[in-house]
Every structure is written in structure tokens, then in C-alpha cells.
Amino acid sequence: MNIAVVGTGYVGLVTGVSLSEIGHTVTCIDINEAKITKMRQGISPIYEPGLSELMLKNIEENRLFFTTDHTKGFNNAEAIYIAVGTPEKDDGSADLTYVEEVAINIATQIRRDTVVVTKSTVPVGTNHKIKDILNRNLKNDVKVNVVSNPEFLKEGSAIHDSFNGDRIVIGADNEKAGDVVEQINTPFEVPVFRTDIKSAEMIKYASNAFLATKISFINEISNICDRLNANVEDVASGMGMDKRIGSEFLNAGIGYGGSCFPKDTKALIQIAGNVHYDFELLKGVVNVNQKQQCLLIDKLLDRIPNLKGKRIAVLGLAFKPNTDDMREAASIVVTKRLIDEGAEVIGYDPIAMENAKSYLRHEMVYAKTIEEALENSDATLILTEWEDIKNIKLNLFNTMNYPLVIDGRNCFSLEKMRGQKVEYHSVGRPSIHYNREKLNI
Ligand code: UDX
């Protein structure tokens, strides 16, 4: 099938490339000329394992095209995917300006019956608004239908997730339009769930809010474990064996970040508020997450009450491993707090340092290697569980002024750390002390 995808951000690009891989002819459209030029050569603007390879393959096989020209992109498209951003507004609600602009663009340019497929995460009711905009602005005598088809891709494994998803949700009020989208997706061989448009829109928010709830829940349990000297990892494993709970998304840490959970949880609180419902539970989830991001600072201040002039190494800057994405990363909040406390910060990340500079340009010194970050530092905070960091040679911690390691992602087993000359604090697990009095400055 001939498909156009508007927006080549994370969602749009992965969607376009995956659809071309299953045999469709896909044109990806973006207003950013420089980005389009690069993508035509198979250069991905984002770091995502496997994406560049699939881009190159499908470009070479003439199934994947990139353009800034909407008319050219829409020409002959049987389905047009909307995958532009819906950034968070100051009040937490989703900004729909870009989605609405695309809808007007589609309406004024299409010359054949078209199914418009919304991939962007949009508040419940938006697809009906999109349909209104489309119908009000149509220039030619054609029929247009709207289908909600939310994405559930995780950054860092987005390509894998496209081909191995748990479900594809298709929300349509027009059965035929829903059938078209189901047909497009058939080669993925992923179970399809059909519903109405509003329910599909809600599935996306409810899924992300539920996962965020699971994370905040285990983080609160971990804080209680901390105080009781229990081990949250064992607690999570024991809980996860109950199929009703499930073992995923029970990793305690320093909270969730990224482009989805923080934005979508706040948007759902707004969506509920708009229909006069106070989503108390979700408000709690958001508050817990904000506090959790600063957990390591509290643990550090507990050990070094005065951080003035202290050199603090921060390992891992991206919001999670296998991505260069810095959006809502705990490293931003943590670094700013360290600076406020008078510390000097030296940071390291295997992939995200370039992106980090647009969030934290002057706040930290960037180390080229883990070794450089650790040397002579007074404490190390671990914020992202990159493989590089998990596989660090533990004796490197002994190049620090004092081997105080505070791990926000439980990268090392307690067993392993017990044998080291390191003072080790993690999340929801008993601390390992080493020469404690040396730090009591
Ligand atoms: C998420 C959803 O998983 C995906 O379905 C949706 O489409 C977009 O949002 P993503 O933001 O890429 O995907 O990352 P994910 O792997 O879900 O992690 C989100 C955040 O939660 C990260 O900061 C991660 O560190 C944190 N997290 C995740 C935990 O703290 N504990 C966990 O057990 C799992």
C-alpha cells in the first residue's frame, strides 16, 4: 500500500521505516530540510539500535522515501499517518497545534479517498476534532476517515517492539477505515485489538499511566525497604511471580523520565480534570516520581553534608540506557541540585553527552571516559544503567578521593560489592559501609 507519514520524530521515523520493511511504499514527510537530506542518505537523526540498517535497506529497495513536500508525499497515499509532536503545555495539557496544522494540510491537498491514521498521543476526543478539521477544509470531492492507532514503542528497542509488540490497537468509528489499517498491519503478525476511537485514545494514556504507577509504587516500597533494611529486589521478584502483578516495570530506581511517561501522566490528569474528575492516584504517582529523582542527593547529603567544592562524578545522563534522549532525564534535576549545593560535577554517558550539552552546557564538565570521571572525585552517582557502567571494573572506584558510590539503578549485586573497598548505597537495598569515619568531615 502507498503510505505517507507526517513527522519524522521518534514515532514517525520508526513507524515509517517499519511499514516499509513489511512491504509498503512509504514517504516520510518533515518540514526540516536538513534532516530530510540526511535521512535520504540513510542517516538516522536519532540513536536507535537497528534503525539505520533498516532505513538503508528500504531506501535501496525503493520502498522508503523522504521529502519536505507535502503534496508530493500525499500524492497517491491511501493512508496518511500523523506522527507529529504533542508537547506539554505549561498547564500539563497536550499542545495540539502541530496535529491541527497537519490536518489542515491533508484536507487541502488530498485528491483521493484517504484514511488518516493518528499515531501521535492525543487527548481523548482529539481524533473527532481532527475529523471535523479535515471535513471542514477538504478542497476536493473525496472522503476522509480517521483512525486512532497509538504507538507503544520503547526507546532503545523500538524496532524490536514494532515487530514483536503485545498488541496493535485500532480505534475506528468507520469499520472500513479500521479494516484498511488492520490490513496495513497484518504482516507484523501482532495481535490486533479493535475498538472505537475514544477508547483507543484512552488505552494509550491508561497504559502509560498504569506503567508509571507501577514504577512509583515500587519506588515507594523501595524507600520503605531502605528504612527497614529489606531488599526491594527480592520484594519485587516475589511480587512479580504473581501473574496478576507481573515482573516487568518493578525495577526500583530514581524514577521514570523520557518523552512519554512524564508528559502523558500529566496530560491524563488534565483530561480527567476537564470532565471534573480528580485523578488523585495519578497525582500521587507524579509527585512520588518528582521526589524520587532527587533521592540520590538526599543520600549524598546524608554522607557529605557540605558539598561545597566537592567533585561529584555523575555516570549516565540519558533518561535510560540505549538511547541518547535527555528528555526529562533525572540527570538534569540532579546536576542542577548538585550545582546549587556548591559541588563541581563531572559527567559521563556513552551516547548522550552531545544531547546533554543542550540541557546542561555550563553546569558540568564532560569526561571522555568513565576513568576520567571517577579519578579524584569525592563521590559517584549512577543515574543510568548502561552496560558500560554495569560492567565497570570495580577497582576503578579506588581512584576516587574516597570510594563513595551511590547507585540510583542498582547496577551491582550486593554480593559483588561486599568484596570491594567501596562504600556503596543503592535503592531499597541495605548499604555497604567502608571506613565510614573517613568521610565524617
Ligand atoms: C514508554 C512506554 O514503555 C512505551 O510503551 C510508550 O510508547 C512510550 O513510553 P519509553 O519512554 O521509551 O517507553 O521507556 P521505558 O522503557 O518504558 O522507560 C520509561 C522510564 O521508566 C525510564 O526512565 C526508565 O528508567 C523507567 N523505568 C522503567 C523504571 O524506573 N523502572 C522500571 O521498572 C521500568
Side-chain angles (χ1 to χ4, degrees), residues 68-94:
T68 51
D69 181 348
H70 286 79
T71 319
K72 210 159 132 195
F74 295 158
N75 194 16
N76 256 331
E78 291 152 86
I80 301 177
Y81 280 64
I82 300 182
V84 291
T86 51
E88 187 181 318
K89 288 203 276 194
D90 289 342
D91 63 357
S93 65

Short mmCIF file of all heavy atoms in Angstrom, two decimals, residues 68-94:
data_model
loop_
_atom_site.label_atom_id
_atom_site.label_comp_id
_atom_site.label_asym_id
_atom_site.label_seq_id
_atom_site.Cartn_x
_atom_site.Cartn_y
_atom_site.Cartn_z
N THR A 68 10.25 17.02 1.91
CA THR A 68 9.68 18.14 2.68
C THR A 68 8.38 18.60 2.00
O THR A 68 7.68 19.46 2.52
CB THR A 68 10.65 19.34 2.72
OG1 THR A 68 11.05 19.63 1.38
CG2 THR A 68 11.86 19.07 3.58
N ASP A 69 8.10 18.01 0.86
CA ASP A 69 6.99 18.46 0.04
C ASP A 69 5.72 17.64 0.35
O ASP A 69 5.61 16.48 -0.06
CB ASP A 69 7.42 18.29 -1.44
CG ASP A 69 6.34 18.77 -2.39
OD1 ASP A 69 5.20 19.01 -1.95
OD2 ASP A 69 6.66 18.88 -3.60
N HIS A 70 4.79 18.27 1.06
CA HIS A 70 3.58 17.54 1.46
C HIS A 70 2.80 17.03 0.25
O HIS A 70 2.33 15.90 0.25
CB HIS A 70 2.67 18.44 2.30
CG HIS A 70 3.17 18.66 3.69
ND1 HIS A 70 4.17 19.55 3.99
CD2 HIS A 70 2.83 18.08 4.86
CE1 HIS A 70 4.42 19.51 5.28
NE2 HIS A 70 3.62 18.62 5.84
N THR A 71 2.68 17.88 -0.77
CA THR A 71 1.87 17.50 -1.94
C THR A 71 2.43 16.22 -2.56
O THR A 71 1.69 15.28 -2.84
CB THR A 71 1.91 18.63 -3.00
OG1 THR A 71 1.79 19.87 -2.30
CG2 THR A 71 0.80 18.50 -4.01
N LYS A 72 3.76 16.21 -2.69
CA LYS A 72 4.41 15.03 -3.28
C LYS A 72 4.18 13.80 -2.37
O LYS A 72 3.87 12.71 -2.83
CB LYS A 72 5.91 15.31 -3.37
CG LYS A 72 6.59 14.61 -4.50
CD LYS A 72 7.89 15.34 -4.82
CE LYS A 72 9.05 14.41 -4.93
NZ LYS A 72 10.33 15.12 -4.89
N GLY A 73 4.29 14.03 -1.09
CA GLY A 73 4.14 12.93 -0.14
C GLY A 73 2.72 12.36 -0.12
O GLY A 73 2.52 11.16 -0.03
N PHE A 74 1.73 13.27 -0.23
CA PHE A 74 0.34 12.82 -0.14
C PHE A 74 -0.15 12.19 -1.43
O PHE A 74 -1.13 11.45 -1.45
CB PHE A 74 -0.59 13.98 0.22
CG PHE A 74 -0.34 14.55 1.60
CD1 PHE A 74 -0.74 15.85 1.92
CD2 PHE A 74 0.28 13.79 2.59
CE1 PHE A 74 -0.52 16.37 3.18
CE2 PHE A 74 0.50 14.32 3.86
CZ PHE A 74 0.11 15.61 4.14
N ASN A 75 0.53 12.54 -2.53
CA ASN A 75 0.15 12.07 -3.84
C ASN A 75 -0.01 10.54 -3.83
O ASN A 75 0.94 9.83 -3.52
CB ASN A 75 1.25 12.49 -4.83
CG ASN A 75 0.78 12.36 -6.25
OD1 ASN A 75 -0.42 12.23 -6.50
ND2 ASN A 75 1.73 12.37 -7.17
N ASN A 76 -1.23 10.08 -4.10
CA ASN A 76 -1.47 8.63 -4.17
C ASN A 76 -1.49 7.88 -2.85
O ASN A 76 -1.62 6.66 -2.85
CB ASN A 76 -0.41 7.95 -5.06
CG ASN A 76 -1.02 7.64 -6.39
OD1 ASN A 76 -2.24 7.41 -6.47
ND2 ASN A 76 -0.21 7.65 -7.43
N ALA A 77 -1.31 8.57 -1.72
CA ALA A 77 -1.29 7.84 -0.45
C ALA A 77 -2.71 7.38 -0.09
O ALA A 77 -3.65 8.16 -0.09
CB ALA A 77 -0.74 8.73 0.66
N GLU A 78 -2.81 6.09 0.18
CA GLU A 78 -4.12 5.56 0.60
C GLU A 78 -4.33 5.80 2.10
O GLU A 78 -5.43 5.90 2.59
CB GLU A 78 -4.19 4.05 0.32
CG GLU A 78 -4.23 3.74 -1.16
CD GLU A 78 -3.63 2.38 -1.48
OE1 GLU A 78 -4.38 1.38 -1.41
OE2 GLU A 78 -2.42 2.32 -1.79
N ALA A 79 -3.21 5.86 2.81
CA ALA A 79 -3.29 6.17 4.25
C ALA A 79 -2.22 7.21 4.57
O ALA A 79 -1.10 7.13 4.07
CB ALA A 79 -3.06 4.90 5.06
N ILE A 80 -2.60 8.19 5.41
CA ILE A 80 -1.62 9.19 5.85
C ILE A 80 -1.54 9.12 7.37
O ILE A 80 -2.56 9.27 8.07
CB ILE A 80 -2.03 10.62 5.41
CG1 ILE A 80 -2.15 10.69 3.88
CG2 ILE A 80 -1.02 11.65 5.93
CD1 ILE A 80 -2.61 12.04 3.35
N TYR A 81 -0.35 8.87 7.87
CA TYR A 81 -0.15 8.77 9.32
C TYR A 81 0.25 10.14 9.88
O TYR A 81 1.13 10.81 9.32
CB TYR A 81 0.99 7.78 9.63
CG TYR A 81 0.57 6.33 9.58
CD1 TYR A 81 0.15 5.74 8.39
CD2 TYR A 81 0.60 5.54 10.73
CE1 TYR A 81 -0.24 4.41 8.34
CE2 TYR A 81 0.23 4.21 10.70
CZ TYR A 81 -0.20 3.64 9.50
OH TYR A 81 -0.57 2.32 9.46
N ILE A 82 -0.38 10.54 10.97
CA ILE A 82 0.05 11.77 11.66
C ILE A 82 0.93 11.34 12.83
O ILE A 82 0.49 10.61 13.73
CB ILE A 82 -1.16 12.58 12.19
CG1 ILE A 82 -2.09 12.99 11.03
CG2 ILE A 82 -0.68 13.82 12.95
CD1 ILE A 82 -3.29 13.84 11.47
N ALA A 83 2.19 11.79 12.79
CA ALA A 83 3.12 11.40 13.86
C ALA A 83 3.95 12.61 14.29
O ALA A 83 5.14 12.51 14.53
CB ALA A 83 4.03 10.27 13.37
N VAL A 84 3.26 13.77 14.38
CA VAL A 84 4.00 14.96 14.82
C VAL A 84 3.90 15.07 16.34
O VAL A 84 3.08 14.40 16.97
CB VAL A 84 3.45 16.25 14.15
CG1 VAL A 84 3.78 16.26 12.67
CG2 VAL A 84 1.95 16.39 14.37
N GLY A 85 4.71 15.94 16.92
CA GLY A 85 4.79 16.05 18.38
C GLY A 85 3.55 16.68 19.00
O GLY A 85 2.83 17.46 18.37
N THR A 86 3.30 16.29 20.25
CA THR A 86 2.24 16.93 21.04
C THR A 86 2.88 17.36 22.35
O THR A 86 2.65 16.73 23.39
CB THR A 86 1.06 15.96 21.31
OG1 THR A 86 1.61 14.73 21.85
CG2 THR A 86 0.29 15.64 20.06
N PRO A 87 3.70 18.42 22.32
CA PRO A 87 4.46 18.80 23.51
C PRO A 87 3.55 19.20 24.68
O PRO A 87 2.36 19.45 24.49
CB PRO A 87 5.31 19.99 23.06
CG PRO A 87 4.79 20.40 21.73
CD PRO A 87 3.95 19.32 21.19
N GLU A 88 4.17 19.23 25.85
CA GLU A 88 3.39 19.55 27.06
C GLU A 88 3.28 21.06 27.20
O GLU A 88 4.29 21.77 27.09
CB GLU A 88 4.18 18.96 28.24
CG GLU A 88 3.49 19.03 29.56
CD GLU A 88 4.39 18.43 30.66
OE1 GLU A 88 5.04 17.39 30.43
OE2 GLU A 88 4.44 19.05 31.73
N LYS A 89 2.07 21.56 27.45
CA LYS A 89 1.91 23.00 27.69
C LYS A 89 2.18 23.28 29.18
O LYS A 89 2.29 22.34 29.97
CB LYS A 89 0.49 23.43 27.33
CG LYS A 89 0.26 23.45 25.82
CD LYS A 89 -0.88 24.39 25.43
CE LYS A 89 -2.22 23.71 25.54
NZ LYS A 89 -3.32 24.41 24.90
N ASP A 90 2.26 24.57 29.54
CA ASP A 90 2.58 24.91 30.93
C ASP A 90 1.62 24.28 31.94
O ASP A 90 2.00 23.92 33.04
CB ASP A 90 2.57 26.44 31.13
CG ASP A 90 3.77 27.07 30.44
OD1 ASP A 90 4.72 26.31 30.14
OD2 ASP A 90 3.74 28.28 30.17
N ASP A 91 0.34 24.11 31.55
CA ASP A 91 -0.63 23.55 32.49
C ASP A 91 -0.66 22.01 32.45
O ASP A 91 -1.53 21.39 33.05
CB ASP A 91 -2.03 24.11 32.20
CG ASP A 91 -2.54 23.70 30.81
OD1 ASP A 91 -1.79 23.03 30.06
OD2 ASP A 91 -3.70 24.03 30.49
N GLY A 92 0.28 21.39 31.72
CA GLY A 92 0.34 19.93 31.68
C GLY A 92 -0.47 19.32 30.54
O GLY A 92 -0.34 18.15 30.24
N SER A 93 -1.31 20.12 29.90
CA SER A 93 -2.12 19.56 28.81
C SER A 93 -1.28 19.45 27.53
O SER A 93 -0.20 20.03 27.43
CB SER A 93 -3.35 20.44 28.56
OG SER A 93 -2.95 21.71 28.10
N ALA A 94 -1.79 18.69 26.56
CA ALA A 94 -1.03 18.47 25.32
C ALA A 94 -1.29 19.61 24.33
O ALA A 94 -2.43 20.01 24.12
CB ALA A 94 -1.43 17.13 24.72
#
